[in-house]
Amino acid sequence: MKATVVVMAAAMAAWTLTGCGTPGVVAGGNVTLSGADSAQYLDKISSQPTVTEAQALEGIMLLLGQQRKLTFAECVKLLKDRHIVSQRWDFRAERPATRGKVAYMIYQACGMKGGLTLTLTGPSQRYCLRELQYRGMMAPGLPYNPVTGMEYVAILARADELRRTGRVSPVMLQEGLSQ
Amino acid sequence: MIRRMPRTLIAAALCALAYSDLYAQATRPTAKPTHRVATRPAAKPLVVIVKEVKGAAQRLLPGAKSKWVALKVGDKLDELTVIRTGLGARVVLRFADNSEVVINRATKMGIAEFRKDGNVTKTRLGLKYGSIRAKVERARGPSDFRVTTPVATLAVAGTSGEVAYMGDFGFNLKGETGTWQARVGRKLRQVQELEGLDSTLALYVDMVKSKMLPKLGDMFGGLTGRERLSMRDNSGGRGAIGFLPAGNRARAIIRKKKLDENKGGSITPGPVGRSRRRRRGHQEPPAPTSGSGYDYSTGAE
């Protein structure tokens, strides 16, 4: 009885620590990204209720100035090498991207420096989202909710300005917040 | 007898009124009036010139098949031109009245109207997403300059300021010089120099946004039915990207579009019209899906 409890507790702890996803798996890796320029990409994304992970990663590539026609797997590898996406994530090309993942990628792509928790524990979806919300770059919401197309366009626009100029103009931020 | 008296009087009065009206109609001269009606000179469209282009910026060529071409310095733009910019892009437009509009990165906007109406220069811009900085010239005469976003109409009574519409926070406005008026439905807010919008309009913006449909654009070119309805219902002036006039004319255009679609158009109707179509017994075409089975219109796999 005691051994069963110990085994169950260990399994529970392992599951909690590793998460329920399968890290490193890339589903739909041969899906080809559109390779469109950023104006066309943003126009298309703005019309969509959700953004797929493939499209979200393509947006990050455009943010980094990489307009290339890659497959989803190549894109994941490239972003993993640059530490823009986490090594622990699993990827599915057609799954809607969540706000947490988008926040993590934007945080890493912009080279932001967060608060105490982020400094001590490293970037995580939850705290990257909180940091971006604190800076007025993302709207309130939960990390596991999907991001809408119009919202992603707005986030990319702010991130692009931050990367190029080091600040975001107040008119693009949530009222009352400024960089 | 006393009670019946007023009724009799009223009936008599009505008869007298009817008779006098008929008499007046019979004796009215049928000849056309000889005096000349003062005709208003037709509004004259003006031209916008592209002064500066940096980064990915394109404009939509009007026509049956929508085609985007790269924007170049010196391009002359007419009314109903739609422009989109990418990341890191910047476009400066010089209007014929010397006004200047800077289109910032990640923006889609349209020139709905730019014409001389009498001595007033009328400018109507639509902003679908992104931000623009407007500097309005008033030295050359009165100007009626307005920017329409999906949730609000902004009128420039002053000279310069920056307007943004973002899909998450709604619209924002920073006045630089002069006074701006932000109107959301019936709510009006004045923004003075160096002021921004505060939370007084936030509730109204949220209300308008909650009425709006998430799909504001169309990935297949042209405008969707949902987009047209959303623009008609939520935008003042012409539509958010400058395709539609307001009021009865907009309804007439939408009605005509619907007729065209029913005759065999290729635009897929959105969920707004579904219940009505079902009641009428229409067959719904299948929702557009990608090759991988992911339905972009609903977000479901």
Side-chain angles (χ1 to χ4, degrees):
Chain A
M1 181 65 187
K2 197 176 176 184
T4 314
V5 170
V6 169
V7 167
M8 279 178 70
M12 188 72 96
W15 184 68
T16 308
L17 288 171
T18 55
C20 51
T22 320
V25 171
V26 181
N30 53 357
V31 169
T32 313
L33 307 184
S34 71
D37 63 82
S38 57
Q40 189 186 348
Y41 168 82
L42 293 172
D43 194 7
K44 185 185 171 186
I45 292 294
S46 72
S47 310
Q48 296 182 192
T50 56
V51 181
T52 63
E53 285 189 3
Q55 289 169 333
L57 261 55
E58 189 178 2
I60 299 294
M61 292 292 284
L62 288 168
L63 183 68
L64 300 171
Q66 306 268 325
Q67 189 196 329
R68 290 157 66 182
K69 207 172 171 86
L70 301 168
T71 62
F72 182 58
E74 286 169 342
C75 186
V76 168
K77 187 178 179 308
L78 217 143
L79 292 176
K80 266 186 183 174
D81 292 345
R82 295 183 69 161
H83 302 288
I84 305 287
V85 296
S86 173
Q87 304 283 341
R88 290 178 295 178
W89 291 354
D90 63 318
F91 298 91
R92 281 175 63 193
E94 305 295 334
R95 182 172 57 189
T98 59
R99 295 164 54 78
K101 281 189 175 178
V102 166
Y104 184 102
M105 291 190 289
I106 296 287
Y107 181 88
Q108 291 291 81
C110 293
M112 289 182 188
K113 286 193 169 56
L116 183 69
T117 313
L118 275 167
T119 313
L120 290 176
T121 62
S124 62
Q125 292 185 40
R126 176 184 165 82
Y127 284 100
C128 287
L129 179 62
R130 290 182 72 146
E131 179 66 26
L132 285 163
Q133 285 170 341
Y134 170 73
R135 292 177 183 232
M137 287 179 68
M138 278 184 78
L142 298 168
Y144 46 79
N145 283 346
V147 69
T148 67
M150 279 288 258
E151 192 178 2
Y152 195 53
V153 169
I155 296 162
L156 283 177
R158 292 184 197 112
D160 183 52
E161 192 173 357
L162 185 67
R163 270 176 62 83
R164 286 170 199 264
T165 64
R167 61 181 291 276
V168 183
S169 50
V171 80
M172 288 173 74
L173 293 169
Q174 191 177 18
E175 188 55 44
L177 294 168
S178 59
Q179 291 286 304
Chain B
M1 180 66 190
I2 296 164
R3 279 188 180 176
R4 283 182 189 170
M5 203 42 193
R7 286 185 188 172
T8 320
L9 275 174
I10 289 165
L14 284 172
C15 285
L17 267 173
Y19 178 75
S20 65
D21 192 39
L22 283 172
Y23 179 76
Q25 276 184 14
T27 55
R28 192 172 291 159
T30 52
K32 284 181 181 174
T34 51
H35 66 275
R36 287 184 66 183
V37 178
T39 51
R40 214 172 150 199
K44 189 180 156 196
L46 300 169
V47 179
V48 181
I49 297 172
V50 180
K51 204 178 143 194
E52 188 189 318
V53 180
K54 187 185 147 199
Q58 294 149 2
R59 71 187 167 104
L60 185 65
L61 285 182
K65 284 185 179 177
S66 56
K67 190 184 170 193
W68 291 91
V69 293
L71 209 58
K72 297 187 295 294
V73 175
D75 276 355
K76 288 183 178 174
L77 311 176
D78 305 319
E79 290 181 340
L80 304 182
T81 296
V82 181
I83 298 169
R84 66 185 184 191
T85 59
L87 299 173
R90 184 175 185 264
V91 175
V92 182
L93 302 179
R94 170 62 61 88
F95 286 67
D97 65 340
N98 245 7
S99 297
E100 200 173 88
V101 168
V102 179
I103 307 170
N104 292 325
R105 58 173 55 77
T107 298
K108 188 176 184 186
M109 58 88 70
I111 304 165
E113 207 172 344
F114 179 50
R115 51 182 59 210
K116 195 90 176 168
D117 198 356
N119 63 341
V120 179
T121 310
K122 202 172 169 187
T123 313
R124 299 281 184 274
L125 303 181
L127 181 65
K128 186 184 173 189
Y129 59 82
S131 65
I132 58 171
R133 180 184 293 271
K135 192 179 165 194
V136 184
E137 178 65 47
R138 296 192 183 278
R140 294 191 180 185
S143 172
D144 181 9
F145 192 101
R146 287 176 197 210
V147 183
T148 300
T149 70
V151 293
T153 302
L154 307 160
V156 190
T159 48
S160 64
E162 196 169 7
V163 184
Y165 177 76
M166 294 290 161
D168 43 8
F169 296 137
F171 84 103
N172 209 342
L173 166 66
K174 297 284 171 198
E176 284 169 4
T177 51
T179 309
W180 289 64
Q181 282 182 344
R183 183 184 289 277
V184 184
R186 290 180 183 175
K187 187 82 178 171
L188 186 73
R189 172 89 164 79
Q190 302 271 358
V191 175
Q192 305 294 338
E193 289 174 27
L194 304 176
E195 246 188 1
L197 276 179
D198 55 18
S199 56
T200 50
L201 279 178
L203 179 65
Y204 297 89
V205 171
D206 284 347
M207 279 165 63
V208 177
K209 273 172 73 185
S210 69
K211 279 201 298 179
M212 286 173 68
L213 297 157
K215 192 181 167 86
L216 272 168
D218 177 22
M219 66 186 98
F220 307 108
L223 295 174
T224 60
R226 297 164 80 186
E227 189 170 26
R228 283 195 295 272
L229 288 170
S230 174
M231 284 180 175
R232 187 198 69 182
D233 295 341
N234 299 311
S235 62
R238 287 195 182 187
I241 38 179
F243 288 105
L244 287 179
N248 291 330
R249 211 176 142 221
R251 287 191 187 94
I253 288 171
I254 289 164
R255 212 176 298 126
K256 188 176 174 302
K257 274 275 181 194
K258 275 187 178 170
L259 282 172
D260 292 345
E261 285 165 26
N262 290 340
K263 279 178 191 168
S266 60
I267 300 169
T268 311
V272 163
R274 277 183 187 167
S275 56
R276 198 177 296 166
R277 281 162 200 272
R278 274 201 200 109
R279 281 203 296 276
R280 287 179 189 168
H282 279 275
Q283 285 287 324
E284 292 249 3
T289 54
S290 68
S292 55
Y294 183 80
D295 185 355
Y296 288 100
S297 64
T298 59
E301 282 180 87

